[in-house]
């Protein structure tokens, strides 16, 4: 079974509008971490935002916020006021368990976001 | 001040050759990883090393051999390259309580 599912292979958004990228996850471990990364066409993986399973509040980083719904096992990324530079692949990832040596990230299949001027 | 650096960035080689990709991190992290990103952009863990010790070894052909001379370096050696090995290979590092930092990737093309 997929541990991380991103159901939107591609999305368009108008510049300056907000967009939500979906991510659902599957784990039986009570301790886990959820990450979002951006991969522009240049190829590098850029960390955007992190949410721990015990965090009480949704994470925010500038224009990025994470809509964490624990009971639904979803961790959607919200980008406010989209910019042309936001056009990229976006990956949701999970670390199962508390951080220990070797706890790797498991990635979803990604969502390609295209921002229209 | 590159945090996780990989060399080379691009690698084009013929089938059957042996090649290596080097990775170094200057973050003081204790764990390093190799991920493979295929043509459909799917990222999959290959190996993980903690303080030079192999922690994770996913189902990867034994033509792939990681080597960690010290905790700041994790190299990937690939023997007898095949067309299906063409991909982008990412090195990453992490530390207890911290996040995961990725290198800029190595695009391997086997012809």
């Amino acid at each position: 079974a997929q541990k991380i599912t991103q159901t939107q292979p591609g999305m368009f958004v108008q510049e300056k509008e907000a967009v939500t990228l979906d991510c659902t996850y599957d784990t039986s471990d009570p301790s886990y971490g959820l990450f979002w990364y951006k991969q522009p066409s240049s190829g590098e993986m850029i960390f955007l935002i992190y949410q721990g399973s015990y965090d009480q509040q949704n994470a925010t980083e500038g224009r990025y916020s994470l809509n964490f719904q624990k009971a639904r096992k979803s961790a959607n990324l919200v980008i406010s006021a989209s910019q042309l530079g936001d056009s990229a692949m976006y990956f949701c990832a999970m670390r199962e368990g508390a951080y220990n040596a070797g706890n790797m990230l498991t990635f979803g299949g990604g969502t390609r976001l295209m921002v229209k001027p | 001040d590159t945090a996780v650096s990989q060399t080379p960035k691009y690698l084009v080689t013929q089938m059957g050759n042996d090649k290596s990709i080097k990775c170094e991190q200057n973050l003081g992290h204790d764990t390093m990883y190799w991920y493979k990103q295929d043509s459909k952009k799917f990222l999959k863990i290959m190996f993980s090393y903690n303080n030079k010790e192999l922690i994770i070894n996913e189902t990867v052909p034994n033509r792939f051999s990681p080597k960690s001379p010290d905790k700041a370096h994790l190299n990937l050696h690939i023997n007898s390259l095949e067309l299906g090995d063409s991909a982008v290979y990412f090195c990453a590092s992490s530390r207890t309580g911290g996040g995961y930092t990725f290198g800029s990737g190595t695009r391997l093309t086997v012809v």
Side-chain angles (χ1 to χ4, degrees), chain B residues 15-28:
Chain B
M15 279 195 304
N17 283 352
D18 303 339
K19 290 292 178 187
S20 291
I21 306 171
K22 295 186 176 181
C23 179
E24 175 182 3
Q25 54 97 2
N26 62 5
L27 298 167

Side-chain angles (χ1 to χ4, degrees), chain A residues 35 37 39 43 45 89 91 95 99 101-105 107 112, chain B residues 31 33 35 37 41 43 48 50 56 90 94-97 100 102:
Chain A
F35 299 75
Y37 284 84
Q39 186 177 41
M45 296 289 288
M89 282 289 289
F91 291 96
R95 180 208 70 234
Y99 180 85
N103 278 10
M104 81 287 193
L105 291 179
F107 284 85
R112 181 173 296 281
Chain B
T31 305
Y33 311 82
Y35 280 85
Q37 186 174 40
K41 300 291 188 183
L43 279 149
S48 168
N50 176 257
I56 294 172
F90 283 98
S94 66
R95 65 171 174 82
T96 302
Y100 298 74
F102 283 78

Side-chain angles (χ1 to χ4, degrees), chain A:
Chain A
Q2 292 275 5
K3 287 188 178 284
I4 296 282
T5 303
Q6 295 181 251
T7 57
Q8 306 151 313
M11 287 187 71
F12 283 97
V13 64
Q14 199 67 41
E15 193 179 7
K16 299 181 185 176
E17 291 185 350
V19 63
T20 298
L21 306 184
D22 294 342
C23 173
T24 57
Y25 59 92
D26 183 26
T27 181
S28 56
D29 200 311
S31 179
Y32 51 90
L34 297 158
F35 299 75
W36 277 92
Y37 284 84
K38 173 184 178 182
Q39 186 177 41
S41 57
S42 51
E44 69 269 32
M45 296 289 288
I46 302 168
F47 167 74
L48 295 179
I49 197 166
Y50 166 79
Q51 180 85 40
S53 59
Y54 294 118
D55 293 345
Q56 293 295 319
Q57 296 197 337
N58 287 345
T60 60
E61 290 284 351
R63 293 187 299 112
Y64 304 108
S65 60
L66 201 152
N67 184 359
F68 181 45
Q69 298 190 36
K70 197 169 182 176
R72 295 185 179 183
K73 294 188 174 179
S74 74
N76 299 338
L77 176 70
V78 181
I79 305 174
S80 63
S82 297
Q83 301 172 355
L84 295 178
D86 294 334
S87 294
M89 282 289 289
Y90 288 81
F91 291 96
C92 180
M94 176 174 64
R95 180 208 70 234
E96 288 185 276
Y99 180 85
N100 287 311
N103 278 10
M104 81 287 193
L105 291 179
T106 302
F107 284 85
T111 295
R112 181 173 296 281
L113 178 67
M114 291 151 282
V115 181
K116 297 187 289 185

Side-chain angles (χ1 to χ4, degrees), chain B residues 7-8 10-11 13 17-23 34 65 67 75-79 81 106 108:
Chain B
T7 54
Y10 300 97
L11 185 52
T13 187
N17 283 352
D18 303 339
K19 290 292 178 187
S20 291
I21 306 171
K22 295 186 176 181
C23 179
W34 278 109
S65 54
K67 284 186 173 52
N75 303 324
L76 183 64
H77 189 75
I78 315 170
N79 289 329
L81 278 154
T106 295
L108 171 65

Side-chain angles (χ1 to χ4, degrees), chain B residues 5 16 29-30 33-34 36 39 41 43 47 50 52 57 60 67 71 74-75 83-84 89 91 101 105-106 110-111:
Chain B
S5 61
H29 287 175
D30 51 21
Y33 311 82
W34 278 109
K36 178 180 179 180
S39 58
K41 300 291 188 183
L43 279 149
F47 302 103
N50 176 257
K52 303 193 297 177
N57 185 356
V60 174
K67 284 186 173 52
K71 75 173 192 175
L74 179 61
N75 303 324
L83 292 176
Y89 293 84
C91 178
T101 304
T106 295
V110 182
V111 297

